[in-house]
Amino acid sequence: MLMVSDYEREVKWFLGPKGPLAESLERYEDRPDQIRMAGSVLSALEKRSILIVEAGTGTGKTLAYLVPAIYSGGRVVISTGTKALQEQLVNKDLPVLTRRFKIEAAVMKGRNNYLCRRRYREFGMAPTFRFREEIPFYERVRDWASATKTGDRAEIRDLPDEFSAWREISSTSEQCVGQKCEFFDDCFVTRMRARAQMADVVVVNHHLFFANMSIPKEAQVNLIPSYQAAILDEAHGLAETAAEYFGAQVSTWRVDDLARDIRRMERIGEVDVDDLAAMLKSLETAEEACRSAFKTIARAGARGMALDGARFSIAEIKDRGSVLEESERASTELLFLARALAGFGRKDEYVMNLAGRAQALSEDFAFIITRDEPDHVYWAETRGRGVILRASPIELGPIMEQKLFSDETPIVFTSATLAVQDKKRWSYSHFKSEIGLEGTEREVTEIHLPSSYDWKKQAILYVPRHLPDPSSPDFIVEASREMLRILRISKGRAFLLFTSYRNLEAAHELLEPHLDFPALKQGDAPKGELLEEFRRDESSVLFATQSFWEGVDVAGKSLSCVIVDKLPFASPGDPLTSAKIERVRKNGGNPFMDFQLPRAVISLKQGLGRLIRSREDYGVLAVLDGRLHKKRYGKTFLDSLPPAPITDKREDLAAFMEEKEGGGKG
C-alpha cells in the first residue's frame, strides 16, 4: 500500500520533466510551482483539510489539482466558474489523464443546456418564434436533435446565446415531470446524471454545485453524485454565485415562462375547452397583476437609482407609490392561479407541476416584498425591459458552515486572483470572509504562487498623473482622449474595460468617429460573436464592461493592450455593497480596508489579467486613474498586481511596443 510520501513522489514524477506528462505533451514545460501546488493539493486531500491557493497565470493549475486528485482515489468533483474552463478540462486536460489512469470523467451542466425531448416535441407541433431570423437556427436545431447523443446545445456551432426558442425546448427543473415522462429513459439529463454516477472525476460549474447544495437534506435528492473531495476553481466568484442559491428570486422572465407553458396546453390541445378558458382567465389576471407590480417597482426604483439604474434597494421603495399594494396583489393573484390549476389538474402531473410553480412564485414574491429579515438584503435589478427581485443572505458563514464545511470533505479553493498584498504579505482575509471560512474550525492552509510569466519583460503598466479625478465631470472626456493616444501606439488590438455602462457609452460615442480600427461594443452582438470577431480582425478594439473582465482568453497578437477607465470600486449605493459595508461596520471592522479595497484589488487583477495568456504575449496595461499615485491605498493595488514595470510617461509605451514588435506576438 502506498503511503502519502509515495504519492508525493508519484505526483512529482508524473508532472516532472521525465514523467508521462512530458512525453505526451508537445510543448511541455517544467513548472516547479505546478509541482509545489500539486503537493499542497495532495496534502489537503490526504489530511481531509481545506486549501486556498492563488496560482498566477501560467502555473498550470488544472493539472496541478487533477493529478493529485486522481492519485488520492475516490470521486472528486471539479467546479468551475465558466463554461470555457469546463470545456478545457473535458477536451484538453482530462483526456491526457484518463488514458493514462484508465478512469472515467464526466461533465455536468445546468439542465437548461440540454434538449428536453418532451418539450421539443410539443414545440414542434406548433412552433412560434419571437423573431423571423430565428427560423434558420431552428432548422439547424432540428437536424442536430435527430442525431445528438448528449443533447448538449454546445454541440450546435454558433447557435446564438439569445436564441429565444431554446427556452421553449430545453430542460428545466420547473417543467420536468420526472419518471412519469414518457421520455424518461431516453432523457438527456437522465443520461448525463447516469454517466456522472459512474465517473471518477465529475466536472460541474458553480451554479450547479450550489444548486445541489441548496437542496434540503430531507428531500433525499441530489443533482450531482456524492463525492469524496471538491476542488473549486475560479473561486474568486464563489460568494456571489452561492448567494443566489440561498435566497429567493422572482423575475419577469420566470412569470413569462410559466405563462408560456400554460398557454402551450392550448396549442397542443390536451385540456378540456371549458377548463382551459377558466385557466386562461385566471392566468391573464395574474399576468396583469405581475406586469403592473414590476412596472411600479421599476418606476419607483428609477428615482435616485444607483449603478446606472441597474440595482436598487426594495426597502427604500416600499412606501413609494403603490409598490407594496401592487406586489401583494401580484402575490395573491399568483396564489389564485395556483389553486385554479390544482383544482382541475389533480390527475395530471404536468398541470400539477404548473400549479406548484405558480404557488412558489406567489410565496417568493411575498417573501421578497413583505419580509424584512436582518440577515438578508432585499433588492431589485433592471435588465432591459425585465425586472428581477431578489432576497440574498448578507453573510454566507452560517450557511456554508452547515452546507459545505461541517463534515471532513477535503476542499480546494483556487484562482489566479484571490489574495491581496497587505504589509508585504499575501492576505486571503477578504476571500475567507466572503465565503464564510473565517469562523470554521477546520484546518485551512494558504499558499500563494506567482504567475510564471515574465511580466517585467512581457508588459508595461501605464498610470498617467495628468487626468482629472474620476469623480470630475471632465474625467470621461479626458480619459477618452488618452485612450485614443494609447490605441494609436498599440495599433488598436485592445480591450477597453469600463466600470460602468455610462462610461462605456460615453467613451464609445466620443472615440468611435476618430478610430482607425474596427470598434466592437458589448451589447451589439452576443459575447461569443464579439470575441470571435475580435480575434479575427487583429486591429479591432472592444468596448466592454464587467462581464469581459474575467473568463475571457485571447492569446496572441489580437490583444496587445488592456485599458481600464478607473479603479473598480463598487458603488456604496448598490444595495448588496451597502449591506456588506454595514455588516463589516457592525462587526467592528473598517468597511473600506476590509471589504471595498480588497474587492476592488481582486477585480482589477482580473481585468488586467486578460493581457498575458502565454509566454509569447506582450503588451500595454493602462489604468487611467491617478489615485494609484495620489492615494495611500494606491500602493495596495500596485503591490498586488503582477510585477510589470510602471510608468506615467506615454513615450515609454511607444518605446516598449517598438522594441517588441520586431519579434511579433503570438
Side-chain angles (χ1 to χ4, degrees):
M1 180 177 177
L2 290 174
M3 305 297 289
V4 174
S5 58
D6 296 320
Y7 284 125
E8 288 178 356
R9 284 193 291 271
E10 288 280 313
V11 168
K12 289 179 180 178
W13 165 75
F14 188 92
L15 294 171
K18 297 182 179 179
L21 190 65
E23 294 176 1
S24 60
L25 295 181
E26 281 186 27
R27 301 181 65 183
Y28 169 82
E29 295 175 1
D30 184 16
R31 307 184 186 190
D33 279 342
Q34 182 183 59
I35 294 175
R36 182 185 168 199
M37 177 176 171
S40 297
V41 171
L42 182 64
S43 177
L45 298 179
E46 292 295 329
K47 292 179 180 178
R48 308 193 66 77
S49 61
I50 296 173
L51 172 67
I52 305 173
V53 51
E54 176 173 304
T57 48
T59 303
K61 62 181 168 63
T62 53
L63 288 173
Y65 59 66
L66 284 173
V67 173
I70 292 170
Y71 269 106
S72 71
R75 180 185 289 128
V76 60
V77 164
I78 313 291
S79 182
T80 74
T82 61
K83 289 181 183 178
L85 182 54
Q86 251 188 325
E87 297 298 331
Q88 176 193 319
L89 284 164
V90 172
N91 298 325
K92 179 182 175 184
D93 297 327
L94 277 167
V96 175
L97 303 179
T98 52
R99 289 193 297 268
R100 172 76 187 183
F101 293 100
K102 310 299 182 187
I103 61 168
E104 294 293 327
V107 61
M108 299 184 76
K109 299 179 181 178
R111 61 188 305 151
N112 63 332
N113 288 280
Y114 298 93
L115 183 75
C116 172
R117 293 185 186 275
R118 177 180 60 79
R119 300 187 74 214
Y120 173 65
R121 182 194 64 184
E122 292 172 355
F123 181 80
M125 293 178 182
T128 57
F129 300 94
R130 190 171 299 177
F131 307 105
R132 183 182 297 273
E133 293 78 14
E134 290 193 337
I135 296 175
F137 289 110
Y138 179 68
E139 292 172 353
R140 289 171 56 188
V141 169
R142 204 163 46 190
D143 293 339
W144 162 79
S146 63
T148 180
K149 297 290 194 297
T150 69
D152 185 351
R153 67 168 285 170
E155 295 176 342
I156 313 173
R157 187 172 178 81
D158 299 327
L159 185 68
D161 293 340
E162 72 279 10
F163 177 59
S164 62
W166 184 258
R167 294 171 66 90
E168 301 259 14
I169 61 177
S170 59
S171 178
T172 71
S173 58
E174 291 185 324
Q175 290 127 348
C176 180
V177 296
Q179 295 186 17
K180 295 185 179 181
C181 178
E182 61 187 292
F183 296 105
F184 180 76
D185 291 336
D186 290 326
C187 172
F188 292 119
V189 173
T190 302
R191 291 180 180 179
M192 176 260 294
R193 291 177 177 169
R195 288 193 295 271
Q197 288 288 351
M198 302 298 293
D200 304 284
V201 178
V202 181
V203 181
V204 304
N205 57 43
H206 296 336
H207 287 277
L208 188 60
F209 186 83
F210 286 110
N212 181 70
M213 193 183 302
S214 66
I215 298 173
K217 289 185 178 180
E218 55 268 22
Q220 296 184 330
V221 175
N222 288 313
L223 301 178
I224 60 179
S226 59
Y227 51 87
Q228 284 68 57
I231 298 173
L232 290 90
D233 201 343
E234 298 176 312
H236 57 274
L238 281 178
E240 187 171 342
T241 304
E244 289 184 31
Y245 290 92
F246 299 117
Q249 173 259 319
V250 174
S251 69
T252 49
W253 296 283
R254 192 174 164 194
V255 173
D256 289 346
D257 284 347
L258 174 64
R260 185 166 50 244
D261 288 337
I262 293 173
R263 289 195 172 91
R264 173 178 286 163
M265 292 189 293
E266 179 182 20
R267 297 205 307 269
I268 61 179
E270 290 186 359
V271 181
D272 179 87
V273 174
D274 293 335
D275 286 344
L276 182 63
M279 181 171 57
L280 291 178
K281 184 176 180 180
S282 182
L283 171 61
E284 288 169 4
T285 303
E287 276 188 298
E288 188 280 325
C290 289
R291 277 195 299 268
S292 181
F294 284 128
K295 186 176 180 180
T296 302
I297 290 167
R299 187 185 300 120
R303 294 163 50 188
M305 200 182 280
L307 280 182
D308 292 342
R311 291 176 173 179
F312 50 92
S313 168
I314 289 176
E316 294 179 2
I317 66 164
K318 278 186 182 181
D319 298 329
R320 292 181 186 171
S322 53
V323 168
L324 198 56
E325 177 186 339
E326 294 281 4
S327 299
E328 289 176 342
R329 183 167 76 91
S331 177
T332 300
E333 294 298 340
L334 285 166
L335 184 58
F336 286 157
L337 174 62
R339 291 172 179 172
L341 288 163
F344 58 78
R346 292 190 183 93
K347 295 182 180 180
D348 189 309
E349 186 72 21
Y350 181 72
V351 179
M352 290 304 293
N353 182 285
L354 293 172
R357 289 167 59 189
Q359 181 165 337
L361 267 169
S362 172
E363 292 171 354
D364 287 344
F365 223 125
F367 178 82
I368 294 169
I369 295 295
T370 63
R371 297 284 286 273
D372 190 19
E373 304 289 342
D375 57 348
H376 278 70
V377 56
Y378 301 85
W379 55 288
E381 181 177 6
T382 57
R383 291 184 188 173
R385 297 181 180 178
V387 179
I388 306 172
L389 313 179
R390 297 185 189 272
S392 305
I394 299 172
E395 193 164 356
L396 287 173
I399 298 171
M400 299 296 279
E401 185 63 35
Q402 177 190 2
K403 298 281 189 178
L404 188 58
F405 307 141
S406 58
D407 59 22
E408 293 185 350
T409 302
I411 306 167
V412 176
F413 296 100
T414 185
S415 170
T417 55
L418 289 178
V420 175
Q421 184 80 274
D422 181 26
K423 298 176 182 177
K424 298 186 178 181
R425 59 179 290 272
W426 289 101
S427 171
Y428 292 91
S429 295
H430 174 71
F431 172 74
K432 291 164 70 176
S433 174
E434 286 283 275
I435 204 66
L437 263 174
E438 286 190 324
T440 187
E441 296 181 359
R442 299 271 306 271
E443 178 184 347
V444 180
T445 303
E446 306 165 4
I447 65 170
H448 180 271
L449 303 173
S451 171
S452 66
Y453 299 142
D454 192 347
W455 284 81
K456 292 181 179 179
K457 292 183 178 179
Q458 291 181 253
I460 185 169
L461 173 60
Y462 174 56
V463 184
R465 297 176 184 268
H466 65 278
L467 294 178
D469 187 87
S471 62
S472 167
D474 299 326
F475 171 75
I476 196 60
V477 174
E478 295 303 320
S480 297
R481 288 191 178 121
E482 194 66 20
M483 289 178 188
L484 183 59
R485 299 180 188 114
I486 298 169
L487 291 173
R488 286 171 176 162
I489 292 172
S490 68
K491 301 174 184 176
R493 302 181 292 176
F495 275 3
L496 307 184
L497 301 179
F498 297 88
T499 51
S500 69
Y501 282 101
R502 181 183 292 124
N503 278 4
L504 182 154
E505 294 291 349
H508 183 266
E509 184 178 348
L510 290 164
L511 280 171
E512 203 269 342
H514 305 286
L515 288 176
D516 298 324
F517 324 104
L520 309 173
K521 181 162 73 75
Q522 180 180 334
D524 287 352
K527 184 176 180 178
E529 287 185 23
L530 287 174
L531 286 171
E532 187 61 33
E533 178 62 25
F534 183 83
R535 292 186 180 100
R536 188 164 47 243
D537 191 327
E538 290 188 351
S539 65
S540 58
V541 174
L542 175 63
F543 293 72
T545 58
Q546 199 65 42
S547 64
F548 282 79
W549 284 54
E550 58 181 273
V552 175
D553 276 347
V554 181
K557 195 173 183 179
S558 293
L559 183 58
S560 299
C561 179
V562 172
I563 305 175
V564 173
D565 64 338
K566 63 189 182 74
L567 298 177
F569 285 111
S571 168
D574 171 60
L576 291 174
T577 303
S578 177
K580 291 186 176 183
I581 286 173
E582 188 58 31
R583 180 200 67 180
V584 174
R585 185 176 289 116
K586 283 184 177 179
N587 291 339
N590 181 318
F592 181 78
M593 298 302 296
D594 298 340
F595 171 64
Q596 292 167 280
L597 177 60
R599 184 178 183 182
V601 169
I602 290 171
S603 181
L604 184 62
K605 288 171 68 176
Q606 276 290 325
L608 296 181
R610 299 309 94 210
L611 182 66
I612 305 298
R613 311 305 295 179
S614 76
R615 296 187 189 280
E616 290 74 36
D617 286 352
Y618 63 82
V620 169
L621 300 168
V623 182
L624 308 183
D625 193 330
R627 290 177 294 180
L628 283 173
H629 293 303
K630 299 169 186 175
K631 299 291 186 180
R632 290 177 62 185
Y633 59 74
K635 181 174 172 52
T636 301
F637 279 99
L638 295 175
D639 287 348
S640 300
L641 295 177
I646 303 170
T647 183
D648 58 1
K649 296 179 175 59
R650 206 180 312 114
E651 52 266 32
D652 291 341
L653 307 185
F656 176 86
M657 292 301 290
E658 286 173 10
E659 177 188 344
K660 293 294 182 183
E661 292 293 10
K665 182 186 179 193

